[in-house]
Amino acid sequence: MAADRQPETATTTRVGDLPEECLAYAIALTGSPRDASRCAAVSPSFRAAADSDHVWHRFIPDDLRPRTPAAPKSSSDKEIYLGLCDATNAAAEDGGGGCRVWLEKGSGAKCYALSVRRLSLPWDDGEFSWRWAPHPSSRFGEVAELVHCTCLDIYARFPAAALTPATPYAAYLVYGTAEEGSRSLSYPDQETTVTVGGREVARHAVCLRPDDAEAHKFRGGRVAAGVEALRRPRVRDDGWWEMEMGQLRTASAAAGGDEEEVVASFEVLGWQPKRGLIVEGIEFRPLLPAS
């Protein structure tokens, strides 16, 4: 009798056969926009789910979401998210435009640019030290050009709670130099420091304007120990220079630390006259994962 039984037909449900809403819910739990974009490449059904508003809504911070409930919705949440990743058109976080915020495309972590008006500058209350003026390449209303000073120490204070939790960040000084030249920006010794809640997490020897000939002359023909290890700047696509000041990692949301402050500072050690530095601001950006 057992030999006369017909085999039962097995019904197999594949992941791609699930309703779009179920797929979208699962993809939304992947954790990052980068992962959601990878899911979209699996199949047409995955693409429809991965591009849905249910997925991309969770990647848009509430404080950056357009607040126009009465207006008809003309863009998908994915389009809104990608618009928030455009650093060139970053939204002003405050009414004065002294801080701009955008999102890092792959992770969704917040990036911040603080204008020079949000920084602490030495002797910033007189024209003798700094000249304030608009700059055609700046995202802000004005930049500060160093006219003359002997003590140069620039720093930014920023609440750690504003940064994306559990995320590695780096602070960057964004600057240029005057067309008529600069002085004492390739020497003497310069350093950057980053502290979180008063704890020093990074300190580096840097050089804003590497000029080996000038440094050689200043040091009387001597090559300073460790000069090869100086951190050097890079030229950005927008024409500004940037110097990485140091790295930090924010605490998880559960760990608290809402009252902590991040302080990023740049200092030129020595009392030589200095001029020609143009400061646009300081940025805090998440570090990209190693490829």
Side-chain angles (χ1 to χ4, degrees), residues 32-52:
S32 76
R34 182 182 294 107
D35 293 333
S37 297
R38 289 170 177 166
C39 289
V42 173
S43 68
S45 58
F46 265 75
R47 183 179 303 111
D51 288 344
S52 69

Side-chain angles (χ1 to χ4, degrees), residues 114-127:
L114 307 182
S115 79
V116 67
R117 282 294 187 185
R118 290 280 298 267
L119 310 183
S120 175
L121 304 177
W123 311 103
D124 62 355
D125 55 353
E127 287 293 323

Side-chain angles (χ1 to χ4, degrees), residues 29 59 81 90 98 124 162 254-255 274:
L29 299 177
F59 298 138
Y81 174 85
D124 62 355
K274 306 164 185 66

Side-chain angles (χ1 to χ4, degrees), residues 160-243:
L163 302 174
T164 301
T167 301
Y169 274 87
Y172 302 87
L173 177 66
V174 183
Y175 65 96
T177 52
E179 291 184 359
E180 58 270 24
S182 60
R183 180 175 181 180
S184 299
L185 298 184
S186 63
Y187 71 86
D189 297 333
Q190 307 165 22
E191 68 177 21
T192 57
T193 307
V194 175
T195 64
V196 180
R199 306 179 306 277
E200 183 178 298
V201 296
R203 181 183 293 270
H204 300 287
V206 302
C207 184
L208 290 191
R209 275 301 198 203
D211 186 332
D212 295 337
E214 187 178 22
H216 188 77
K217 178 180 178 181
F218 172 75
R219 299 180 187 280
R222 295 178 291 106
V223 177
V227 70
E228 297 297 332
L230 287 176
R231 180 164 288 190
R232 297 185 174 229
R234 76 173 187 91
V235 181
R236 295 156 44 119
D237 292 339
D238 59 9
W240 291 98
W241 290 69
E242 73 173 20
M243 173 68 72

Side-chain angles (χ1 to χ4, degrees), residues 85 112 145:
C85 296
Y112 289 92
E145 178 183 339

Side-chain angles (χ1 to χ4, degrees), residues 1-6:
M1 295 294 293
D4 295 335
R5 290 180 180 174
Q6 297 296 321

Side-chain angles (χ1 to χ4, degrees), residues 51-125:
D51 288 344
S52 69
D53 284 352
H54 180 81
V55 172
W56 291 91
H57 180 89
R58 69 182 301 271
F59 298 138
I60 303 174
D62 290 338
D63 57 341
L64 296 184
R65 181 174 293 280
R67 300 185 184 277
T68 55
K73 184 174 180 180
S74 58
S75 300
S76 68
D77 279 347
K78 183 176 182 180
E79 290 171 328
I80 294 173
Y81 174 85
L82 294 177
L84 293 172
C85 296
D86 184 359
T88 60
N89 295 311
E93 189 188 50
D94 51 25
C99 176
R100 294 188 176 273
V101 58
W102 67 99
L103 302 179
E104 196 282 309
K105 187 176 181 180
S107 65
K110 289 182 177 179
C111 309
Y112 289 92
L114 307 182
S115 79
V116 67
R117 282 294 187 185
R118 290 280 298 267
L119 310 183
S120 175
L121 304 177
W123 311 103
D124 62 355
D125 55 353

